[in-house]
Amino acid sequence: MKILGIETSCDETAAAVVEDGTRILSNQIASQVEIHARYGGIVPEVASRQHLLSVIPVIERAITEAGVSWKDLSGIAVTVGPGLAGSLLVGVNVAKAIALSQGLPLIGVNHLEAHIYANWLGDDSIDFPVVCLIVSGGHSDLVLMKGHGDYVVLGRTRDDAAGEAFDKAARILGLGYPGGPAIERASKEGTASIPLPRAWLKGSHDFSFSGVKTALLRLVEAGKVSSVADAAASFQAAVIEVLVTKTVAVARGRRVKKVLLSGGVASNGLLREQLIKHSPLPVLVPLPVLCTDNAAMIAVCGYYRLWAGRADSLGLDVVPSLKLT
Ligand code: KG4
Ligand code: ZN
């Protein structure tokens, strides 16, 4: 069963064809990073206009790369939220037009759920229950996944998401946008020698990253940061220590089979390495290119929704503030 996935929730226009919820036949991504870098962050109006320009060529490339025709497809999966309303609308309307004209099922997908499902692109024999850490630009969620589409959120961020914290820290350190990869690159030249606070929020599985960001800002303002590389490494270490410690604690406390890491921040090498090192259970993490926004994960998630009889009508709408549960 081949599903076309379409993703336009933020600053990547992406389309992919995935077979049987696990095998990538094509994975096309048109990034807008260079356009937004000029402004130091995403400009929503610019993003939706860029999606309009890119979406059809990107879908055509995904179909061509996969070597399929419309009649080979079993469904069109598209991100409905969370994300920027104007950007989501572009993908959802194109998906509706294709579904209507080709007589294919339309499947609305939750972008956060899709980040988890990126793990099925490497292994489609995952036994439940599993613990998932989803760390992206807008979310840091610790989730117990009991079955397909069955989630219990155990903890989430109370302020900044992990990726948002990386982006803000990079801005503070003058490292540019997007911040996560910039902090990771800078960290390689430094050591985590600057003491920064960790918000443990004892007794809770929630996260908080605004304190560590503000502590970094105060040090920079006071002229106490002599090495940007050391500051980047110290910030990265502080955020990752909290993410890993809390995820490991949750995994230890429950009868789960695996730990699944996902979301843009999951492409960070130190996070991947530290979680694998400290987890009492096997850790699954997608290839870095499947951690950041892509449409292959949308197609996989759509496949499992279709399989569960959860296709949508053409009245499907965007839900910019959609949650996992
Ligand atoms: O999942 P994603 O591509 O988009 C959202 O759904 O938000 O995540 C983007 C976030 C950005 O905040 C970016 O700075 C962060 O993921 N990120 C990283 C790395 N690569 C991307 N954070 C830390 N280290 C990285 N290597
Ligand atoms: Zn994402």
Side-chain angles (χ1 to χ4, degrees):
M1 199 189 265
K2 300 181 182 81
I3 305 284
L4 170 70
I6 301 172
E7 155 65 36
T8 64
S9 70
C10 195
D11 61 347
E12 323 277 2
T13 317
V17 178
V18 174
E19 188 170 25
D20 297 333
T22 190
R23 208 157 70 81
I24 298 178
L25 302 186
S26 63
N27 189 25
Q28 291 288 327
I29 305 173
S31 175
Q32 304 176 9
V33 160
E34 281 175 20
I35 296 166
H36 297 288
R38 240 178 279 162
Y39 307 100
I42 297 164
V43 183
E45 290 78 5
V46 174
S48 39
R49 196 161 344 134
Q50 204 55 41
H51 284 306
L52 270 177
L53 293 173
S54 306
V55 71
I56 302 287
V58 165
I59 292 172
E60 283 173 347
R61 286 207 296 274
I63 295 288
T64 306
E65 186 194 352
V68 295
S69 63
W70 298 114
K71 67 173 172 23
D72 299 320
L73 298 176
S74 300
I76 311 291
V78 63
T79 308
V80 293
L84 302 167
S87 293
L88 291 164
L89 274 168
V90 175
V92 168
N93 281 313
V94 169
K96 280 185 192 179
I98 298 173
L100 179 65
S101 61
Q102 302 299 327
L104 288 167
L106 174 69
I107 315 141
V109 166
N110 181 324
H111 181 90
L112 293 174
E113 190 176 4
H115 269 304
I116 299 176
Y117 272 96
N119 280 291
W120 269 257
L121 291 165
D123 180 354
D124 65 345
S125 60
I126 299 171
D127 282 338
F128 296 108
V130 292
V131 160
C132 311
L133 174 66
I134 316 162
V135 269
S136 68
H139 296 82
S140 304
D141 290 350
L142 249 179
V143 176
L144 176 67
M145 184 176 185
K146 299 201 258 179
H148 287 294
D150 187 0
Y151 309 98
V152 179
V153 176
L154 305 170
R156 51 173 45 131
T157 184
R158 294 190 184 173
D159 38 56
D160 294 348
E164 185 182 359
F166 270 97
D167 292 335
K168 288 179 175 171
R171 206 171 305 152
I172 291 167
L173 295 173
L175 291 171
Y177 164 89
I183 295 261
E184 183 172 20
R185 262 194 313 276
S187 298
K188 293 201 164 65
E189 311 299 322
T191 53
S193 52
I194 302 172
L196 287 171
R198 276 90 166 133
W200 294 112
L201 308 177
K202 287 241 158 44
S204 163
H205 301 309
D206 284 349
F207 300 104
S208 166
F209 296 115
S210 73
V212 60
K213 171 204 68 193
T214 307
L216 179 69
L217 178 64
R218 296 283 172 264
L219 287 176
V220 170
E221 283 174 344
K224 290 186 180 154
V225 169
S226 54
S227 157
V228 167
D230 286 354
S234 305
F235 181 84
Q236 177 176 260
V239 171
I240 287 173
E241 187 183 333
V242 174
L243 290 173
V244 169
T245 307
K246 286 189 166 253
T247 306
V248 167
V250 163
R252 273 194 213 289
R254 289 162 208 269
R255 290 172 175 277
V256 295
K257 306 270 179 17
K258 278 188 175 130
V259 176
L260 273 51
L261 179 60
S262 61
V265 182
S267 54
N268 182 285
L270 184 70
L271 174 57
R272 300 163 78 93
E273 176 199 302
Q274 289 293 306
L275 190 58
I276 290 167
K277 182 171 165 196
H278 294 287
S279 170
L281 301 165
V283 175
L284 283 185
V285 54
L287 291 173
V289 69
L290 300 173
C291 289
T292 44
D293 288 349
N294 66 87
M297 67 184 195
I298 307 300
V300 183
C301 190
Y303 169 85
Y304 281 99
R305 283 185 79 86
L306 187 62
W307 182 69
R310 295 170 72 188
D312 291 282
S313 75
L314 288 171
L316 183 70
D317 204 356
V318 302
V319 191
S321 57
L322 189 62
K323 301 242 181 317
L324 192 61
T325 55

